[in-house]
Amino acid sequence: MTDILIHPLTQDAFAPFGDILALKSAPDKLINQGLCGRHHDLALMDFGADGRAGISLFDATPRSLPYVLELVERHPEGSQAFIPMTETPFLVIVAPDENGIPGRPLAFRTEAGQGINFHRNIWHGVLTPLFAPGLFAVVDRIGKSANLEEYWYEIPFTVSGDVT
């Protein structure tokens, strides 16, 4: 196995793969009689010509470190956003595309309150909460065409690092 270290999730590092969903330093505008700050339009959502947005709830089993990464997937027809419904960090794994197959993965740890949006056709690991409960709202493409491609690495990766 090959080791991969976990890095903090930053917009610069994550930009080639998607968007970070988090509060800005100040809201774009105040709404609801000035009692709610709206942080507007945080992600490029893409559902393709024949898709529509869907909101689902995922209840994922937490994983422990070191984590063995054998599988990544991508969604060729649309983006996919993961919005945690708890204040705990989770693991985000992405991989660059190298001529139709995933390259060496990168691992990130979110901060409490951060979500992510994978852009269309980005190789990524499965939903990987590190703490219970692993409850997430997921916004992704609903449509009739196939929107999932999986890739199993011949040699797994071991993802490790401090997630406290």
Side-chain angles (χ1 to χ4, degrees):
M1 286 194 234
T2 305
D3 287 339
I4 297 192
L5 296 177
I6 301 170
H7 301 282
L9 183 66
T10 66
Q11 188 56 54
D12 286 342
F14 194 67
F17 308 102
D19 311 296
I20 296 175
L21 308 177
L23 295 177
K24 300 173 186 175
S25 60
D28 295 297
K29 63 181 167 178
L30 292 175
I31 60 174
N32 299 340
Q33 298 173 306
L35 299 174
C36 180
R38 180 175 177 144
H39 299 256
H40 184 71
D41 200 18
L42 298 175
L44 175 63
M45 303 305 297
D46 177 0
F47 306 113
D50 297 323
R52 64 176 177 80
I55 299 174
S56 304
L57 296 180
F58 286 20
D59 189 9
T61 301
R63 310 295 171 71
S64 59
L65 295 176
Y67 171 68
V68 176
L69 174 68
E70 301 173 286
L71 165 73
V72 291
E73 63 184 32
R74 67 179 174 180
H75 306 286
E77 299 292 326
S79 58
Q80 186 177 48
F82 292 96
I83 305 162
M85 297 180 72
T86 63
E87 286 286 323
T88 58
F90 63 102
L91 190 62
V92 177
I93 297 171
V94 292
D97 184 76
E98 294 181 357
N99 299 313
I101 62 170
R104 181 178 173 79
L106 302 165
F108 299 99
R109 181 182 75 92
T110 66
E111 295 294 328
Q114 285 182 321
I116 57 96
N117 175 56
F118 294 120
H119 290 169
R120 177 197 289 230
N121 219 27
I122 293 297
W123 291 110
H124 62 86
V126 299
L127 181 57
T128 313
L130 297 167
F131 304 97
L135 186 59
F136 290 77
V138 177
V139 181
D140 62 359
R141 181 185 186 277
I142 305 298
K144 294 185 183 201
S145 61
N147 190 31
L148 175 65
E149 183 179 349
E150 294 180 337
Y151 182 87
W152 289 81
Y153 286 105
E154 288 182 27
I155 300 172
F157 293 88
T158 300
V159 179
S160 60
D162 180 18
V163 297
T164 58

